[in-house]
Amino acid sequence: MTFEGFPTFCHVDQYGDAGYNSIPRMLAMSKPLNLWAPSGARFFTPGFCLTAKEFVTYVEEGYVRVLGREPWLLDPSFRGSERWPESKWFAEFDGPIKRICEEDQHLPPGERRVLACPPEKGWDWADEYLAKKPEDSDRWSRLSKVRNGHMLIPSQIRDRALAYGGDNYLAARQILRDAHNHGQALVDSGAEVPFLLSETDVKYLNVIATTPCASNAIPVFTRTASDNPTKSMTAITAQLVELLQVLDIHAPSNGEGRRLSKFVHGEGHKLLVSWISSVCRLMRDTNPRAIDGTILNLLRDDLGRAEMTRPINELIRRKDEGAVGLVGMVSMIAGLITDPIGVATIGGVLAQVYPVGKGLSRQLGYAPANFTGEQWPFLYTYSRRANRKSLKRMRHLLDQISDTSTR
């Protein structure tokens, strides 16, 4: 299996409920979605949008890719330690993940659905860095303790650092270790863009990028934080996650898991992955500060120009149909008006009055009209292709979002 499309990455456990609740939207726009060490406990929470079985199916099919350290993925006793009480081993979830990992271990790393990563090097790297720049320990410890520290360092990393109290060296060591490991996980995933689900993450990467000797310190995160293409792509994907969240709210209540499955396994997923990948390629060299509202504006403009065209109009304009076919078609329409029962036998009638393969039922409007705009928003929200009614509804919704965002 080769992973092609729009690979993304998320250190999902770092975000708690918000991270896990975003999995359906991240999955909808990724191919594949790389998740670092997801906890099975979340998928057994009553009312959660995905069941453990549904998640494992997405992994088996290659839509989701799981990464983690080998003991985490393969050793139940390792997960039973007090260090991770909220991430204990669930046989119904972690058992299949372990099985897939073992099945794929002979494949190249880039083709594995579950990837066991090498032992971490974060502690060694942090020690080496602080040995060269011991004065930086005060800087990092101070950043975790300032009043707005929660806006500069992700909560999980900050909490670990604060647990060391007044020991500035150990606090800084914890922060730098986590930064290195998170960055290396992104590289191991091979993803084009990470999902940063909070503003704190963006600020954190900027802080990392300003570290003295950063070019030799945290190459992964320095590149991610300072490279405009990556920052632009991250901002664009964040906008799409927000848009999909709004579309979820306006979608018919027919079970999020079932609706997601239909979308991911249908043409909608392919269309959305292709669309977001194209947008990111187009905008990758754009200043991130200049792309606010890009996703909404692109989609609103596309659907604003889009039209619903009936193929019968195109048929009438064609010169290769001949008078007999058109006369027969008009006669049949008149017959249906006076004899509604004829609708029941429309299939047989059409085959007689119209050349084989031309699909008269579509020409007459018994099948959806052609649509000149993006189909994925309709397939995602309504589980069907666009029609005149849903196009009007979607345009109105996007205009409402636009008006709200500009206030």
Side-chain angles (χ1 to χ4, degrees), residues 307-312 314 362-363 367-373 375 385-386 388:
E307 297 179 345
M308 303 293 302
T309 60
R310 287 294 181 188
I312 190 171
E314 300 173 7
R362 183 175 180 85
Q363 315 304 330
N370 286 335
F371 180 60
T372 61
Q375 286 282 6
R385 297 173 68 84
R388 295 184 188 278

Side-chain angles (χ1 to χ4, degrees), residues 53-266:
K53 183 177 181 180
E54 289 170 336
F55 181 85
V56 170
T57 297
Y58 286 125
V59 176
E60 290 176 330
E61 297 172 339
Y63 293 104
V64 174
R65 189 168 180 242
V66 173
L67 298 87
R69 306 292 175 202
E70 185 171 309
W72 176 279
L73 295 172
L74 303 180
D75 185 359
S77 63
F78 179 80
R79 298 271 291 278
S81 68
E82 296 181 358
R83 184 178 178 184
W84 297 289
E86 73 285 356
S87 301
K88 67 177 183 178
W89 186 278
F90 280 83
E92 304 94 320
F93 177 87
D94 295 290
I97 296 297
K98 176 183 177 181
R99 171 181 56 77
I100 298 170
C101 183
E102 292 173 338
E103 289 177 354
D104 288 4
Q105 61 184 353
H106 66 285
L107 298 174
E111 298 180 13
R112 299 178 193 175
R113 295 166 294 175
V114 177
L115 177 63
C117 297
E120 68 158 283
K121 298 181 179 179
W123 291 122
D124 293 340
W125 180 87
D127 289 339
E128 181 181 349
Y129 173 79
L130 289 174
K132 296 178 180 178
K133 303 289 293 185
E135 65 275 15
D136 277 9
S137 61
D138 292 338
R139 176 178 186 263
W140 285 108
S141 180
R142 184 176 65 254
L143 286 172
S144 67
K145 296 174 182 176
V146 295
R147 181 178 299 178
N148 66 335
H150 65 286
M151 294 298 296
L152 298 174
I153 300 176
S155 59
Q156 277 196 347
I157 299 176
R158 182 170 178 261
D159 289 344
R160 295 189 190 113
L162 292 175
Y164 292 105
D167 194 322
N168 292 351
Y169 175 86
L170 292 180
R173 183 174 182 257
Q174 180 72 63
I175 293 172
L176 294 172
R177 172 261 184 183
D178 287 344
H180 182 279
N181 286 347
H182 286 200
Q184 189 60 53
L186 171 60
V187 169
D188 290 341
S189 74
E192 292 186 16
V193 60
F195 281 109
L196 305 179
L197 302 180
S198 74
E199 183 64 24
T200 302
D201 292 281
V202 179
K203 293 180 179 179
Y204 178 54
L205 298 190
N206 287 332
V207 169
I208 291 288
T210 61
T211 301
C213 301
S215 60
N216 298 319
I218 309 176
V220 174
F221 267 60
T222 300
R223 186 183 67 235
T224 302
S226 61
D227 189 41
N228 275 347
T230 303
K231 291 184 69 176
S232 298
M233 293 168 69
T234 299
I236 290 169
T237 54
Q239 291 177 33
L240 183 54
V241 169
E242 294 177 359
L243 175 59
L244 294 184
Q245 185 175 12
V246 174
L247 296 181
D248 282 333
I249 295 173
H250 291 268
S253 180
N254 58 355
E256 185 171 3
R258 185 167 67 255
R259 183 168 62 85
L260 175 66
S261 178
K262 183 175 181 179
F263 178 81
V264 170
H265 293 100

Side-chain angles (χ1 to χ4, degrees), residues 239 291-302 402 405:
Q239 291 177 33
I291 62 175
D292 287 348
T294 292
I295 290 295
L296 179 59
N297 291 334
L298 285 174
L299 191 58
R300 192 183 65 242
D301 291 347
D302 175 85
S402 179
S405 63

Side-chain angles (χ1 to χ4, degrees), residues 312 315-316 323-334 350 353-354 360 363-364:
I312 190 171
L315 169 65
I316 293 175
V324 176
L326 291 176
V327 170
M329 181 171 61
V330 173
S331 299
M332 191 200 71
I333 295 175
L350 296 182
V353 302
Y354 196 61
L360 182 57
Q363 315 304 330
L364 293 175

Side-chain angles (χ1 to χ4, degrees), residues 332 336 341-353 360-361 364 366:
M332 191 200 71
L336 291 177
I341 298 178
V343 176
T345 60
I346 189 171
V349 175
L350 296 182
Q352 297 178 36
V353 302
L360 182 57
S361 62
L364 293 175
Y366 289 97

